[in-house]
Amino acid sequence: MSHHLTQAVRDCIAACNDCATECGNCFSHMVGNESPNDCPACCIECAAICRLCADALARNSPFAKEICELCAKVCAWCAEQCAAHDMDHCQRCAEACRRCADACRAMA
Amino acid sequence: MSHHLTQAVRDCIAACNDCATECGNCFSHMVGNESPNDCPACCIECAAICRLCADALARNSPFAKEICELCAKVCAWCAEQCAAHDMDHCQRCAEACRRCADACRAMA
Amino acid sequence: MSHHLTQAVRDCIAACNDCATECGNCFSHMVGNESPNDCPACCIECAAICRLCADALARNSPFAKEICELCAKVCAWCAEQCAAHDMDHCQRCAEACRRCADACRAMA
Amino acid sequence: MSHHLTQAVRDCIAACNDCATECGNCFSHMVGNESPNDCPACCIECAAICRLCADALARNSPFAKEICELCAKVCAWCAEQCAAHDMDHCQRCAEACRRCADACRAMA
């Protein structure tokens, strides 16, 4: 009766979770400092939709694909903001965002 | 400057994420059916606090320990409900809940 | 400097919050019982995106409109499921979902 | 059968929702700027637990009281951070946090 949670779904959930973690970490290092662009506000938006996306996939939501599609857009935007900063946590975050955007696009 | 996200923190985040995923899956199979106990309502409570807990750990929240403590309690309760059902998704969920309860207790 | 949180935004946030509350209440009464349609699973999906939508509006997220658009769809689906049941909590939930769908559509 | 969502519960949910909204607004104005204290990081922690708390109350969660107790603590901390800043959005946020802390303490 395991009608979902295929490996592809599990991989996308993992990419969402990893992205949310790196966004949370990036946020914690950047918040309270001046920023020339949307980081770390983007990390909060991105983590929030990644969490919703992971949950929707796990629950086999009828809207999972549409959430993945929107999640991919938010991740791509966040990747761009964070990639513009040199710090290790920003670079790691940008990487995780890109991987999540790819995974979500493949699912959508 | 990576003042947190030690391996121990990452492991606890992974346990929270895994628990939320199995709760979501268990919920999707059980919802709409009669249940003699609190499953699948427990899966929704459990996934919600697991997500908060993972986020709080990733953001190095000053309340992360207290959230872990509460998360451990909710996971233990959910494990008990799901363990009482024979289905594979319930058994997997109970396992993930127990592992998450252990990880959160160690963190708290 | 209050560049957002106009009355229209506050009204949409209120509609999202009210919808999430009624969905939570409806869920708590329906879960554990047999259901001939997607209620109460829809209530969980609906509450989750309503919360994200309210947060995104409050944070003036650049993706608020797209989230509103998707939220309106989920609310319309949930309204349909809950409206099919006679119970007071389902009828209240369907009403709140319809109001939220309208508010989100106006925002999108 | 409306075994919960008494007026007291509805009032506490409203206080949580209002607090989450003001925290989101405060965050959006403060993020990207230097801050001498924990604002706006506190606003993210506070909004997150307020949302969980509102959901738990709406779902009549067996852990609602414990979540209220923790929510009251986070709100009190956030109120202190935001009250130290003169801006209108910070003062409004501090006020909403204090009201939510009171409401949650009364519930716990």
Side-chain angles (χ1 to χ4, degrees), chain D residues 49-70:
Chain D
I49 194 148
C50 283
R51 292 298 184 197
L52 180 72
C53 195
D55 277 336
L57 287 164
R59 288 190 304 249
N60 199 24
S61 162
F63 294 92
K65 279 179 192 229
E66 289 173 82
I67 294 170
C68 280
E69 205 183 316
L70 188 47

Side-chain angles (χ1 to χ4, degrees), chain A residues 53-105:
Chain A
C53 195
D55 277 336
L57 287 164
R59 288 189 306 249
N60 199 24
S61 163
F63 294 91
K65 278 177 194 231
E66 289 174 83
I67 295 171
C68 280
E69 204 183 316
L70 189 46
C71 190
K73 280 195 207 181
V74 180
C75 287
W77 165 66
C78 190
E80 220 181 309
Q81 308 302 310
C82 296
H85 300 165
D86 283 339
M87 286 81 85
D88 186 53
H89 46 78
C90 286
Q91 291 294 320
R92 282 179 69 108
C93 187
E95 262 311 300
C97 287
R98 270 185 228 115
R99 279 193 305 269
C100 189
D102 288 347
C104 283
R105 234 176 267 121

